[in-house]
Amino acid sequence: MDLLNTLVDKGLRRETPTRAEALAVLATTDDELLDVVAAAGKVRRHWFGRRVKLNYLVNLKSGLCPEDCSYCSQRLGSKADILKYTWLKPDEASQAAAAGLAGGAKRVCLVASGRGPTDRDVDRVSDTIKAIKEQNEDVEVCACLGLLSDGQAQRLREAGADAYNHNLNTSESTYGEITTTHTYADRVDTVRKAHAAGLSACSGLIAGMGETDEDLVDVVFSLRELDPDSVPVNFLIPFEGTPLAKEWNLTPQRCLRILAMVRFVCPDVEVRIAGGREVHLRTMQPLALHLANSIFLGDYLTSEGQAGKADLEMIADAGFEVEGAGEVTLPEHRTGGGCGSHEGSGCGSHEGSGVCGTVPASASAPAASASADEPRPDLVAVRRRGAGTDLAPNA
């Protein structure tokens, strides 16, 4: 297939594909799917071998967010029956993080609901980062606290944060339809603040909310321009009690095409399968490891994930290996400029991360996903263990 040969060649050279080529990946048929996975897998292995980076989420503050993002279980007006609690103390957060690190995670992602942190919140998170690093000196810590004010990224960096996550989520042209409480430009500004402070930027998208192929390509090309070091790909978790509870637009095959498209557009970037992989990829999760080189271990912010032990078994059975704490995730050319970014690049963050976003339910679904999954609300399980509870976490 000439298209795939071209995309592999471009991926090995870090050359950006055309928009038409990216759209063509999303339009491939199920008969062509394994060829698409094999081609994108060549690019993935060239830059990342067979390593899989494990990340672990700690939800520092759950629910009661004042933002009105349509997809989020923590949004203003959400009727989702999720855990709600205020800030974890630094020692509580450190204990929660320890479970993920014991399971093999090398990065801890500290997330808090809300529009953005106050200066007092930054102090809290800074104390938490220091507590985690006192116990685990080599751990990577990524903060995800929403929109940043001037100087806050620098303070997080000084406290020991390695990265900052803030997702673009969807295309700029549709963003105004998904929330009225902040703008797409606000998100881009926060990603740039994080990069300017020397933090590794983590910024991604959410798929499965009725968006068109053009929307998906738009947001991934915007991410390529911002050049984050890691790109989380979330698949909508349709929580009952949120405006998008009825949006079941994904098949496992479509999820694989989306991941392949992201890999071709961002060949040398850490592509992470984030929220919703168990819900939408299901038994096809091992195939997705040929496209992404990073996953979350265990549970998510407000929903349960696959058992941590099952994650590790899946990685081993698929012929991959967990990336060690002493291994550098990114290719050498991305780490030479400090904090893993291309020299002179701008940089650009996951289900329920800080300020949320989605695509309007009224957006027309692409022909490629016209045969959508039957709704499976039984696969959406609210998290009742780990941070904010007395039960042991899933890691």
Side-chain angles (χ1 to χ4, degrees):
M1 193 175 185
D2 289 344
L3 168 68
L4 296 179
N5 290 334
T6 297
L7 288 170
V8 170
D9 289 343
K10 287 186 173 183
L12 300 185
R13 298 194 304 265
R14 293 189 290 138
E15 182 180 335
T16 309
T18 66
R19 285 181 54 85
E21 289 166 342
L23 287 166
V25 172
L26 297 179
T28 52
T29 67
D30 286 352
D31 287 341
E32 298 166 320
L33 182 61
L34 287 181
D35 293 330
V36 172
V37 172
K42 290 180 182 178
V43 179
R44 181 253 201 263
R45 288 192 301 277
H46 177 81
W47 296 113
F48 300 97
R50 302 189 73 82
R51 294 174 287 118
V52 178
K53 180 176 180 177
L54 298 181
N55 309 268
Y56 191 69
L57 282 163
V58 177
N59 197 355
L60 297 178
K61 180 170 74 79
S62 183
L64 307 175
C65 181
E67 303 297 293
D68 63 359
C69 313
S70 302
Y71 84 92
C72 187
S73 62
Q74 305 184 80
R75 73 187 294 271
L76 179 68
S78 170
K79 294 179 174 58
D81 186 26
I82 61 169
L83 291 170
K84 298 181 178 68
Y85 53 86
T86 190
W87 290 94
L88 298 181
K89 293 181 174 61
D91 62 325
E92 294 172 327
S94 182
Q95 290 173 15
L101 296 173
K106 65 182 292 184
R107 172 174 285 194
V108 172
C109 303
L110 302 176
V111 186
S113 62
R115 177 179 177 84
T118 64
D119 286 340
R120 183 183 178 190
D121 294 336
V122 173
D123 289 338
R124 286 192 181 101
V125 176
S126 295
D127 290 343
T128 298
I129 294 169
K130 292 171 185 174
I132 291 172
K133 293 217 167 188
E134 282 175 3
Q135 301 297 319
N136 305 274
E137 184 178 352
D138 296 329
V139 67
E140 297 176 11
V141 176
C142 179
C144 179
L145 312 174
L147 301 173
L148 293 175
S149 301
D150 290 344
Q152 290 182 329
Q154 287 88 340
R155 291 174 58 197
L156 290 169
R157 177 66 171 157
E158 290 165 3
D162 300 281
Y164 196 82
N165 166 269
H166 199 60
N167 294 328
L168 296 188
N169 289 328
T170 190
S171 64
E172 182 175 11
S173 63
T174 60
Y175 198 84
E177 301 173 50
I178 61 175
T179 180
T180 64
T181 48
H182 64 272
T183 67
Y184 182 91
D186 290 333
R187 286 186 168 270
V188 171
D189 178 65
T190 285
V191 174
R192 288 178 172 156
K193 280 186 170 76
H195 176 61
L199 293 166
S200 177
C202 172
S203 188
L205 64 141
I206 309 170
M209 297 167 285
E211 69 276 349
T212 64
D213 285 2
E214 288 76 11
D215 287 324
L216 285 170
V217 170
D218 281 351
V219 68
V220 175
F221 270 67
S222 294
L223 289 166
R224 166 87 188 207
E225 185 176 349
L226 282 173
D227 198 24
D229 293 325
S230 55
V231 174
V233 180
N234 295 278
F235 302 109
L236 175 71
I237 300 177
F239 275 94
E240 291 297 329
T242 65
L244 298 185
K246 307 304 180 187
E247 291 293 315
W248 291 83
N249 300 309
L250 294 171
T251 63
Q253 293 82 3
R254 177 143 176 91
C255 293
L256 291 171
R257 291 187 192 96
I258 291 168
L259 287 167
M261 186 268 288
V262 174
R263 174 56 71 199
F264 285 131
V265 178
C266 304
D268 59 340
V269 167
E270 176 191 340
V271 175
R272 185 181 312 149
I273 317 171
R277 66 176 162 93
E278 299 89 345
V279 176
H280 297 294
L281 279 161
R282 299 191 293 277
T283 58
M284 301 286 268
Q285 289 180 69
L287 268 184
L289 295 176
H290 291 272
L291 307 170
N293 63 297
S294 180
I295 65 171
F296 280 101
L297 178 73
D299 292 337
Y300 301 98
L301 297 177
T302 60
S303 65
E304 288 189 358
Q306 185 167 278
K309 183 174 182 290
D311 286 335
L312 298 176
E313 290 175 348
M314 176 182 72
I315 291 168
D317 288 348
F320 293 87
E321 60 187 27
V322 173
E323 184 174 287
E327 295 181 276
V328 178
T329 301
L330 297 171
E332 186 177 356
H333 65 269
R334 291 194 68 90
T335 58
C339 295
S341 298
H342 285 178
E343 182 178 352
S345 68
C347 268
S349 168
H350 163 158
E351 185 252 320
S353 352
V355 180
C356 321
T358 179
V359 195
S362 60
S364 59
S369 62
S371 179
D373 267 350
E374 289 297 315
R376 289 291 307 274
D378 58 300
L379 295 176
V380 181
V382 173
R383 180 175 69 84
R384 301 294 186 199
R385 59 195 174 192
T389 77
D390 296 326
L391 300 178
N394 173 25

